[in-house]
Amino acid sequence: DVTAVKKLESQVRRTDRLASLGTLSAGMAHEIKNPLVTLKTFTQLLPERYEDADFRDTFSSLVGQEVKRIDSIVNQLLRFARPAKPKLEPTPLHIALEKTSRLVHQQMRQKGIQPLERYDAERDVILGDGDLLVQAFLNLMMNAIDAMPDGGVLSIITRVFAEEAPEAASGQRDMLEVSIGDTGKGIDAESLQHVFDPFFTTKDTGTGLGLSVSHQIIQEHNAIVDVFSSVGEGTTFRLRFPLIRQEVTS
């Protein structure tokens, strides 16, 4: 019964949306509640300790920091809820990767992380938004760096491969694969299913929105991202972008 199947699929999608909304709401409440508790505690103490100069200095500094923290959380949520639409134009992906790699160079050096960059793809031009791609790559690379507090190797590897595409005249289309991997602590199988969920994080700090935002950006580029990980052996994010067809010249 096709009608019954469609109704079931609709119910499943609605359940998934409600579950995501619940996760999002719970995460948002948790992230904002922590600084609010601190603000409430210090505000309650202010009347009786106002004459204490050290307390006033601490209060002034802490209030500014916690308000800034809440503002950052809200801004991240807004970027997640209303992501910028990419301005798609011919973009060399290797340039975006090299730019991102330079941005994280200092953090890698401080943690004793070695770079392994192999841009093996002989073609790298996709329809993309360079700035948004750097944002997505930056989140993935920072995630890799955080997974290697005692050093390791951060690898960035590209290659071109052909995949089946019935809509194409040749029955295939060329894809650019980007692999961003680390040799860190890895992710267990249960957590691996939720790495792109908003507010999900295995770290002691952070909102858990970085990978969700990256996932959205990658999807906006008509690309696919998979993640592979084993505890103690590291994690690899594998992205696949459609390449722009080469112009035929006579």
Side-chain angles (χ1 to χ4, degrees):
D1 189 336
V2 176
T3 303
V5 171
K6 288 185 176 180
K7 285 183 178 180
L8 182 60
E9 289 175 346
S10 178
Q11 289 175 356
V12 170
R13 284 195 297 271
R14 183 171 182 272
T15 301
D16 286 344
R17 285 196 299 270
L18 290 174
S20 297
L21 181 60
T23 301
L24 191 64
S25 301
M28 187 70 176
H30 174 75
E31 290 295 332
I32 290 183
K33 185 177 180 180
N34 289 338
L36 285 179
V37 168
T38 304
L39 290 172
K40 180 182 178 181
T41 301
F42 272 77
T43 302
Q44 289 173 334
L45 290 172
L46 183 61
E48 60 187 77
R49 299 190 59 183
Y50 184 76
E51 299 303 325
D52 185 337
D54 288 339
F55 179 84
R56 289 201 309 271
D57 290 343
T58 301
F59 177 83
S60 299
S61 173
L62 184 139
V63 166
Q65 291 173 7
E66 295 301 85
V67 169
K68 185 177 180 181
R69 181 178 167 192
I70 293 173
D71 183 61
S72 175
I73 293 168
V74 172
N75 284 332
Q76 287 185 66
L77 182 64
L78 288 174
R79 285 196 295 270
F80 173 76
R82 297 200 304 265
K85 284 292 181 183
K87 298 176 182 177
L88 300 179
E89 58 186 9
T91 302
L93 205 65
H94 287 169
I95 291 178
L97 287 168
E98 289 168 349
K99 181 177 180 180
T100 313
S101 179
R102 289 195 297 270
L103 291 175
V104 300
H105 176 75
Q106 188 58 34
Q107 289 95 324
M108 292 174 62
R109 185 177 179 182
Q110 289 174 348
K111 292 190 176 183
I113 296 172
Q114 299 298 317
L116 171 61
E117 299 181 28
R118 287 211 330 257
Y119 300 123
D120 296 335
E122 63 275 11
R123 293 164 49 206
D124 71 326
V125 180
I126 68 165
L127 281 179
D129 184 315
D131 291 337
L132 288 179
L133 286 170
V134 168
Q135 182 183 342
F137 295 150
L138 184 60
N139 286 334
L140 295 175
M141 291 185 196
M142 289 304 301
N143 192 76
I145 290 170
D146 289 341
M148 297 183 286
D150 301 318
V153 177
L154 193 159
S155 59
I156 306 169
I157 301 171
T158 68
R159 72 181 183 101
V160 172
F161 71 99
E163 73 170 15
E164 292 185 8
E167 71 279 7
S170 63
Q172 290 186 325
R173 64 174 177 176
D174 289 338
M175 304 289 290
L176 173 60
E177 181 181 273
V178 179
S179 295
I180 299 176
D182 65 67
T183 56
K185 54 190 176 182
I187 306 170
D188 63 81
E190 175 63 26
S191 298
L192 196 63
Q193 301 177 43
H194 303 285
V195 291
F196 296 120
D197 292 354
F199 288 109
F200 177 82
T201 180
T202 58
K203 305 175 189 176
D204 295 330
T205 59
T207 60
L209 284 174
L211 291 182
S212 296
V213 171
S214 291
H215 190 256
Q216 284 187 330
I217 292 172
I218 293 163
Q219 286 187 320
E220 290 284 353
H221 284 76
N222 299 312
I224 298 171
V225 57
D226 292 311
V227 56
F228 306 89
S229 187
S230 297
V231 174
E233 297 182 8
T235 302
T236 298
F237 289 90
R238 193 167 294 161
L239 295 63
R240 301 191 297 280
F241 296 87
L243 280 164
I244 290 179
R245 292 182 62 186
Q246 288 180 309
E247 294 294 331
V248 178
T249 56
S250 55

